[in-house]
Amino acid sequence: MKVEETYIKDLVIIEPTVFGDERGCFFESYSKTKFEDLGINIDFVQDNQSFSKYGTLRGLHYQNPPFAQTKLVRVLEGEIIDVAVDLRKDSPTYGKSFSILLSSENKKQL
């Protein structure tokens, strides 16, 4: 598993190690120990899944404490463009955005 930092603090790209053969592939999308080894010390407490038809635009997800949530986004089928916007007023990257193509092919997670 690899982690790549983005120019927005605390926003990282995670690339799992994929084991593939003629039958398909296998990979760990999340491992508490491996995430901690990569410096990601998050206590994930909820797992959601959504399905969207082609052309769907989903809204921004933003919560203030005490309702703030860390998110791990990945794609099971197809592809999406995921956009993160830094809305933390005290952040040096306040107002900046980052976008990435996440797909079932590249298996990247944000």
Side-chain angles (χ1 to χ4, degrees), residues 5 19 27-28 31-32 41 43 48-49 56 62 81 92 98 104 109:
E5 294 187 12
F19 302 94
F27 65 92
E28 286 182 343
S31 163
K32 183 174 179 66
N41 297 298
D43 185 22
N48 300 334
Q49 182 172 324
T56 298
Y62 174 76
I81 295 175
F98 176 84
S104 54
Q109 302 174 106

Side-chain angles (χ1 to χ4, degrees), residues 56-68:
T56 298
L57 176 64
R58 294 213 175 253
L60 293 174
H61 302 277
Y62 174 76
Q63 298 91 18
N64 283 320
F67 305 107

Side-chain angles (χ1 to χ4, degrees), residues 79-96:
E79 61 185 28
I80 66 168
I81 295 175
D82 197 359
V83 179
V85 180
D86 191 350
L87 298 177
R88 301 168 294 182
K89 290 186 178 177
D90 61 343
S91 171
T93 53
Y94 173 72
K96 302 246 189 244

Side-chain angles (χ1 to χ4, degrees), residues 28-46:
E28 286 182 343
S29 60
Y30 172 75
S31 163
K32 183 174 179 66
T33 303
K34 288 181 181 174
F35 272 43
E36 287 173 349
D37 290 346
L38 294 168
I40 304 170
N41 297 298
I42 301 299
D43 185 22
F44 286 107
V45 296
Q46 183 176 325

